[in-house]
Amino acid sequence: MDSKHPNIIDLFCGCGGFSLGFERAGFNVLLGIDVWNDALVTFERNHKGSKTLNADLSTLHPKETERLLDGKDIDVIIGGPPCQGFSVAGKRIVDDIRNKLYKAFVAFVAHFQPKAFVLENVPNILSIGGGIVKDSIIEDFSNLGYTVEYKVLTASDYGVPQNRRRAIFVGFKNGHHFSFPIPFDTPKITAKEALSDLPEDGIEDGGKYPIDIQSDYQSLMREHSIGLFNHQPTVHNQKTIDIISMVPDGGNYKDLPIELQSTRKVHIAWTRLSSDKPSFTIDTGHRHHFHYSYNRIPTARESARIQSFPDDFVFHCSRTSQLKQIGNAVPPLMGEAIAKCILNQL
């Protein structure tokens, strides 16, 4: 192993938020595998030294990826198998934990025998079926010789302006018990600190920033950027704009007149970001969340900021696709905090 730059494979890599965190911590991302081409286009254009493979992991044999690795050793495998199989209740759980996509992750670890692995998922994976899924995961990797630790981490504890929670499992090969990153002792980054330098109106890709940097976080996000990308707002109809305008900073449907409260049948409807708090978890573009002061949903760049993607990480394909890529990602700064701990403990 190149002790300075260990090699990783990212399974279910999406657009590469987790990989970016590991890259920033000093890892070398050899390969990202996913079945969604749009996300791979973005991955490839932002991880210049990495290869991508468009493949269905439920049918891909790990051996088939060796040709892409140029004989290099794999030190760490990371990824988040989609959790559909994990989030069902009742009898199907035990069959579903044998869920093919999760099993593919296990198969890759069994094949490459990395020094460590990181598996991320939804927090309720720990409690489903009274812990049956969690116990199965620990058992599967213990049988391969890994010492497994798990914890729910909150992104805003690691410099991300978002209260996204993820369950993280980390296994080490040598009997080492992984210690999770300690939450930062700095104040949490607010939505305003994340977004206040991005204008209400759209900017053509590569255009100049019309507003100066207003916070340390913005300075970090703009550090390597040559211009503003992915900042084209959604144009809402006038009725939607009128309704959004009635919701105050940090408010939601409960702030609307009673006759408008049920215009959307979801409890997160008409929710505005709070300017003075980290964002709630952003999703894959369900159009219920609005900017803390502009009467529109966040642009792809604003969503990327909330996820802690730096501005030089440019998203590709349609706007809907970009929002989905961003919403599905692991926040890079949280990934980096995990990656640094792994590097120290390798």
Side-chain angles (χ1 to χ4, degrees):
M1 169 175 111
D2 170 353
S3 58
K4 285 214 280 294
H5 300 292
N7 295 325
I8 68 167
I9 296 181
D10 188 349
L11 306 178
F12 313 98
C13 64
C15 65
F18 215 7
S19 277
L20 179 62
F22 272 76
E23 220 165 63
R24 289 171 65 108
F27 286 80
N28 182 21
V29 182
L30 296 182
L31 178 64
I33 306 176
D34 205 282
V35 75
W36 187 27
N37 197 59
D38 284 14
L40 290 176
V41 170
T42 295
F43 187 102
E44 204 161 72
R45 292 187 189 171
N46 289 282
H47 299 278
K48 295 282 194 282
S50 314
K51 293 178 178 168
T52 57
L53 177 62
N54 186 331
D56 177 354
L57 277 148
S58 67
T59 56
L60 178 71
H61 194 281
K63 196 157 184 53
E64 293 172 52
T65 63
E66 287 178 0
R67 63 189 167 79
L68 297 167
L69 302 173
D70 303 328
K72 296 188 175 100
D73 285 339
I74 303 305
D75 299 301
V76 183
I77 290 178
I78 67 173
C83 47
Q84 294 89 326
F86 298 150
S87 37
V88 293
K91 287 199 297 288
R92 285 179 43 220
I93 282 175
V94 181
D95 306 327
D96 259 313
I97 176 61
R98 304 297 153 194
N99 164 320
K100 282 181 174 167
L101 292 171
Y102 160 71
K103 274 307 191 191
F105 192 102
V106 179
F108 266 79
V109 172
H111 181 82
F112 287 106
Q113 297 284 315
K115 297 178 177 66
F117 72 84
V118 188
L119 186 152
E120 64 87 27
N121 222 288
V122 291
N124 75 346
I125 195 170
L126 301 181
S127 55
I128 295 165
I132 191 170
V133 172
K134 167 188 64 110
D135 295 343
S136 300
I137 292 173
I138 293 168
E139 185 186 345
D140 284 345
F141 289 105
S142 299
N143 290 342
L144 296 176
Y146 289 85
T147 304
V148 183
E149 304 293 332
Y150 64 87
K151 193 170 188 179
V152 173
L153 300 185
T154 302
S156 59
D157 285 337
Y158 304 100
V160 179
Q162 180 187 191
N163 289 324
R164 176 179 288 244
R165 296 168 71 247
R166 301 301 285 176
I168 309 289
F169 291 81
V170 178
F172 266 79
K173 197 65 197 267
N174 56 7
H176 172 77
H177 289 267
F178 178 68
S179 303
F180 281 91
I182 295 161
F184 295 176
D185 57 5
T186 45
K188 297 197 171 192
I189 311 292
T190 66
K192 188 171 185 180
E193 286 174 291
L195 305 180
S196 63
D197 65 325
L198 298 175
E200 182 166 10
D201 298 325
I203 296 280
E204 211 164 298
D205 276 350
K208 284 192 170 64
Y209 293 87
I211 303 171
D212 289 339
I213 288 171
Q214 323 259 320
S215 71
D216 291 346
Y217 182 79
Q218 292 166 17
S219 180
L220 177 68
M221 292 294 106
R222 280 162 68 160
E223 193 176 1
H224 302 293
S225 179
I226 52 161
L228 186 50
F229 290 82
N230 306 121
H231 191 66
Q232 290 82 33
T234 299
V235 179
H236 300 289
N237 65 40
Q238 194 56 47
K239 184 184 172 199
T240 301
I241 294 168
D242 292 344
I243 296 176
I244 305 168
S245 68
M246 296 181 204
V247 178
D249 183 332
N252 60 27
Y253 73 95
K254 293 177 185 152
D255 296 296
L256 294 171
I258 197 87
E259 67 276 10
L260 291 174
Q261 286 189 10
S262 59
T263 45
R264 293 190 178 181
K265 294 280 184 263
V266 285
H267 66 88
I268 54 166
W270 306 111
T271 304
R272 261 202 205 276
L273 295 171
S274 290
S275 59
D276 61 351
K277 293 193 182 88
S279 167
F280 35 72
T281 301
I282 59 159
D283 57 19
T284 51
H286 288 137
R287 303 175 70 108
H288 299 302
H289 302 147
F290 301 97
H291 190 283
Y292 57 82
S293 69
Y294 307 149
N295 296 324
R296 58 166 175 72
I297 61 170
T299 63
R301 179 51 54 200
E302 287 163 345
S303 296
R305 283 278 186 92
I306 288 167
Q307 279 276 56
S308 77
F309 279 98
D311 290 6
D312 64 338
F313 194 104
V314 177
F315 295 87
H316 296 275
C317 305
S318 74
R319 202 177 317 167
T320 307
S321 173
Q322 290 171 21
L323 288 170
K324 188 174 169 191
Q325 291 171 43
I326 295 162
N328 280 336
V330 176
L333 287 183
M334 182 163 93
E336 184 179 355
I338 296 166
K340 282 178 171 166
C341 283
I342 288 180
L343 196 58
N344 288 337
Q345 294 170 50
L346 268 176

